[in-house]
Amino acid sequence: MRIKFYLLFVLLLLLLACANQSKLQIIDAIEDQKPNLIFNGSFETETEIVDSSYPGWIFDYDKVDQITTDSDRAKDGNYSLKFLYPKNDVLMVSDSFEVYHRNGYGIKLSGLSLNEDIPIEVKFITFNDSGEIVSKYVSNATVSKGKWSTFYFKAQYLKTSSKYARIFINIPKNNSVLFLDDVACYNIFKFLKK
């Protein structure tokens, strides 16, 4: 019984170390001023209106009336994206950006909820030249009530035909006001050629 407990404890420590390593690599990329591969990850705009042609992002067409920009609560820049009590799931998709299969990528985003904790799903999906899905990485995060939380995960070992990627963020139907900001993807390392 004790052996199982110790093995479980060691496994938990390894998982925490891996998660912390991802966060440190992404923070290093930010400090090295590597470019954010996501266009308009801070949701900077001159208008409060969010529609299907919002700069850098694609939204579900029938759900954009639940989304506005907010200048009072921003994690990065002057604006954040504000979701008002969405009655349905909301999917948002970044513009595509180039990737190289030998590179590793770090993804981060920040969120704040006013009324309740909200689980969201974030995907890093790569595509080949024909637009077919090649690699998919999924992470779940819980946006905390009352304070900004920042989430990190990494995508590595992309399939060789990966040419482009997009970030997909799925926000479930909920009874809260949710803010998202500072969505970023960085090239955090390169594998050596064999």
Side-chain angles (χ1 to χ4, degrees):
M1 187 65 169
R2 280 187 163 184
I3 293 174
K4 286 183 182 179
F5 173 76
Y6 288 123
L7 288 174
L8 184 60
F9 182 72
V10 168
L11 180 61
L12 180 62
L13 287 177
L14 286 172
L15 289 172
L16 289 172
C18 289
N20 195 37
Q21 182 66 17
S22 294
K23 180 178 177 180
L24 292 175
Q25 286 178 318
I26 296 167
I27 291 171
D28 287 344
I30 296 165
E31 290 174 353
D32 291 343
Q33 298 181 350
K34 290 191 176 178
N36 182 0
L37 300 173
I38 296 175
F39 175 69
N40 198 19
S42 292
F43 308 108
E44 299 303 301
T45 182
E46 295 298 319
T47 177
E48 288 187 12
I49 298 169
V50 175
D51 60 22
S52 58
S53 63
Y54 189 78
W57 295 91
I58 301 166
F59 294 90
D60 288 347
Y61 288 90
D62 59 340
K63 297 169 186 155
V64 292
D65 62 331
Q66 304 162 4
I67 310 167
T68 62
T69 57
D70 188 276
S71 60
D72 293 329
R73 291 182 182 89
K75 176 77 172 163
D76 182 62
N78 297 316
Y79 297 92
S80 63
L81 210 56
K82 181 179 181 180
F83 299 82
L84 300 164
Y85 307 102
K87 296 177 181 68
N88 299 295
D89 288 2
V90 178
L91 178 66
M92 53 188 290
V93 182
S94 73
D95 282 352
S96 66
F97 50 92
E98 289 186 35
V99 292
Y100 180 59
H101 73 277
R102 289 195 177 271
N103 296 349
Y105 296 89
I107 297 91
K108 79 165 189 159
L109 72 140
S110 298
L112 163 70
S113 173
L114 294 187
N115 306 85
E116 60 187 29
D117 291 351
I118 301 172
I120 62 172
E121 181 181 67
V122 183
K123 294 179 184 175
F124 175 91
I125 299 178
T126 68
F127 303 86
N128 63 18
D129 281 331
S130 301
E132 299 166 331
I133 293 176
V134 178
S135 298
K136 186 187 295 187
Y137 298 83
V138 179
S139 181
N140 293 303
T142 300
V143 177
S144 299
K145 174 185 171 184
K147 64 177 183 175
W148 281 101
S149 305
T150 301
F151 308 97
Y152 304 87
F153 77 99
K154 67 181 169 184
Q156 57 191 17
Y157 309 111
L158 306 180
K159 292 186 180 170
T160 56
S161 59
S162 296
K163 300 294 182 192
Y164 300 94
R166 290 180 185 264
I167 301 296
F168 293 72
I169 302 172
N170 189 49
I171 297 155
K173 169 178 129 174
N174 63 76
N175 294 312
S176 186
V177 178
L178 172 72
F179 300 89
L180 285 184
D181 202 0
D182 199 19
V183 181
C185 181
Y186 299 98
N187 179 355
I188 56 175
F189 57 82
K190 295 181 180 181
F191 289 105
L192 297 174
K193 292 185 178 180
K194 293 183 179 182

